[in-house]
Amino acid sequence: MGLASSVAALAQVPARIAPVKIGVLNDRSGVYADISGEGSVVAARMAVEDFRQQARDLAVEVVAGDHQNKPAVGAALARVWYDREGIDAIFDVPTSSVALAVHQVTRERNKVFVDSGAGTADLTGPDCSPNTVHWTFDTVALANGTGGAMVKRGGDTWFFVTADYAFGEAVQRDTTALILRNGGKVLGSVKTPFPASDFVPYLRQAQASGAKVIGLANAGGDTIGAVREAARLRLTEGGQALAGLLIFSSDIHSLTPKVAQGLVLTEPFYWDLNDATRAFSDRFARRFGGRKPTAAQAGVYAGVIHYLKAVAAVQGADDGARVVAKMKELPTEDPLFGKGTIRVDGRKIHDMYLFEVKKPAESRSEWDLYKTLATIPGTEAFRPLDQGGCPLVAKAAQAQADGVRP
């Protein structure tokens, strides 16, 4: 499933297409910098280079910005980019609260937003947009993966340590729903500031609850800090399990298998999945200080590739809703996520993977971090289309019933 085969039909891009300008907006210096940051910019530029090998007449510029994990900053920068700097599409945007803000601005300006770094499933829920694609993962898929696995293993009582922001609330909500559906109980939860510097008092509350599973509803530097403190407190030695509801390979690399061994997690991408992911990851590492790409960075690469296919197909990037409609119409295919689809609600569908962190003795190299426990088909991992409350779904169904294209 090489890139060349997936874009060959679009190789002849008319020279009259205006240059395309895309922005990679993320956290470049804070708790999510390793997850996305400059690595996502590298991934976007690699995507542009790879696409232009087949579509040489399409000029694309990539710019980068730091939203500082603040919704007001992200929304303001999005407006400046769209209104003054000619940005056609924004990619990445970790931090769900920032993603939701950029999502709204993008719709107002009729541009394109392809999110790969934020988790909230609300992006494809009641407030879904014809201008947004949610590419990499979401809180429902994380709940179905990690939450489902822990419940099946007997972890039927939970206590959540939850970051006090949109993602933390969403992943706790969606994991709680799964636990209750499967006959489990949530014994309690505690909110932590974002970012947090001391997790000990919150982990002590979780420990005192007696819950079989302590769910970490946070990400990035917060997750790393919580796992390290849990190891120092020897929580798992007391019989409680630790569930990281959003963990990236960069987090495990920072923690090391010695600290994180046995942790169960869900990701949509891992550099060592197959020959194609390994080949891309080796190229990426040569450009980015030896680091392997995270799932968020892989999502930027794949999202940019598919966006450019749609721009080439509609012969322009001016009408964001039209470009996103074409993205939904075209099947997705790239070396990192394989073949997939984008639903009418904007949810990108692909397999998810349940991983377990290797023991130090099992790890053969610095980035040899995971062993695969299960492949979760995309149709099982993500929320069913009719359960999200997205108005675009009903509109599309009505259009189909009327015999017209939505």
Side-chain angles (χ1 to χ4, degrees):
M1 95 189 67
L3 176 63
S5 63
S6 65
V7 301
L10 302 174
Q12 300 301 317
V13 179
R16 65 179 176 273
I17 295 181
V20 177
K21 195 171 183 180
I22 64 178
V24 179
L25 181 60
N26 57 33
D27 175 2
R28 297 180 61 81
S29 58
V31 294
Y32 299 148
D34 286 345
I35 291 170
S36 57
E38 179 62 19
S40 289
V41 181
V42 172
R45 289 178 175 149
M46 289 175 67
V48 171
E49 292 168 10
D50 289 351
F51 186 81
R52 290 199 68 223
Q53 289 180 14
Q54 302 297 321
R56 298 181 185 278
D57 294 328
L58 184 61
V60 185
E61 180 183 354
V62 177
V63 300
D66 188 347
H67 61 44
Q68 304 172 38
N69 295 313
K70 298 176 181 178
V73 172
L77 186 51
R79 291 189 188 97
V80 170
W81 275 3
Y82 290 147
D83 296 347
R84 302 180 190 173
E85 299 187 16
I87 296 291
D88 298 296
I90 291 176
F91 291 80
D92 201 9
V93 194
T95 311
S96 290
S97 55
V98 182
L100 290 167
V102 172
H103 169 77
Q104 293 298 336
V105 175
T106 302
R107 184 170 191 165
E108 292 167 6
R109 300 315 198 260
N110 190 28
K111 299 294 186 176
V112 175
F113 176 33
V114 182
D115 188 279
S116 67
T120 178
D122 294 350
L123 287 169
T124 55
D127 197 35
C128 65
S129 165
N131 299 81
T132 293
V133 173
H134 199 181
W135 194 276
T136 315
F137 63 94
D138 64 26
T139 50
V140 172
L142 298 174
N144 287 339
T146 306
M150 299 302 287
V151 172
K152 288 178 182 177
R153 290 183 169 195
D156 55 359
T157 58
W158 285 61
F159 187 99
F160 288 97
V161 176
T162 303
D164 190 11
Y165 67 153
F167 169 77
E169 295 171 1
V171 76
Q172 179 181 329
R173 174 198 68 201
D174 293 336
T175 307
T176 295
L178 179 139
I179 293 165
L180 298 179
R181 284 198 307 269
N182 286 275
K185 296 180 180 179
V186 175
L187 303 185
S189 65
V190 60
K191 287 187 175 181
T192 66
F194 172 74
S197 58
D198 181 10
F199 285 92
V200 171
Y202 311 112
L203 292 171
R204 289 291 191 195
Q205 290 186 52
Q207 186 178 37
S209 74
K212 295 179 182 177
V213 181
I214 299 172
L216 300 179
N218 51 22
D222 279 2
T223 300
I224 292 171
V227 173
R228 282 180 174 152
E229 291 295 346
R232 292 190 187 102
L233 295 173
R234 299 185 175 182
L235 293 187
T236 58
E237 293 179 21
Q240 292 175 299
L242 201 64
L245 294 169
L246 178 55
I247 292 185
F248 293 86
S249 57
S250 57
D251 301 328
I252 302 303
H253 180 263
S254 179
L255 286 164
T256 75
K258 182 179 180 180
V259 174
Q261 60 183 298
L263 195 66
V264 175
L265 57 106
T266 303
E267 288 220 58
F269 168 86
Y270 176 50
W271 73 270
D272 201 20
L273 279 175
N274 53 54
D275 289 344
T277 59
R278 284 188 286 271
F280 172 83
S281 298
D282 287 346
R283 289 174 52 212
F284 180 93
R286 287 194 293 271
R287 294 187 179 210
F288 197 54
R291 299 182 66 84
K292 301 296 186 182
T294 66
Q297 292 159 351
V300 170
Y301 174 88
V304 170
I305 288 285
H306 194 67
Y307 167 75
L308 293 177
K309 291 180 193 176
V311 169
V314 303
Q315 299 186 20
D318 292 342
D319 186 339
R322 185 176 179 224
V323 173
V324 170
K326 180 57 69 171
M327 292 178 72
K328 295 175 182 178
E329 179 184 328
L330 295 172
T332 64
E333 183 177 5
D334 62 80
L336 308 188
F337 296 86
K339 295 181 179 180
T341 58
I342 299 173
R343 299 190 314 201
V344 66
D345 61 352
R347 176 66 260 167
K348 165 68 164 60
I349 303 299
H350 48 247
D351 292 345
M352 300 285 289
Y353 301 92
L354 189 68
F355 296 116
E356 182 177 313
V357 178
K358 289 183 173 182
K359 298 175 181 178
E362 297 171 323
S363 180
R364 298 164 298 174
S365 62
E366 180 185 4
W367 287 92
D368 183 22
L369 305 172
Y370 297 161
K371 54 186 176 183
T372 305
L373 299 181
T375 299
I376 309 169
T379 52
E380 298 176 15
F382 294 99
R383 180 172 57 201
L385 184 61
D386 61 355
Q387 293 181 15
C390 172
L392 298 175
V393 177
K395 182 179 178 181
Q398 185 60 54
Q400 186 176 23
D402 294 341
V404 300
R405 295 183 66 182

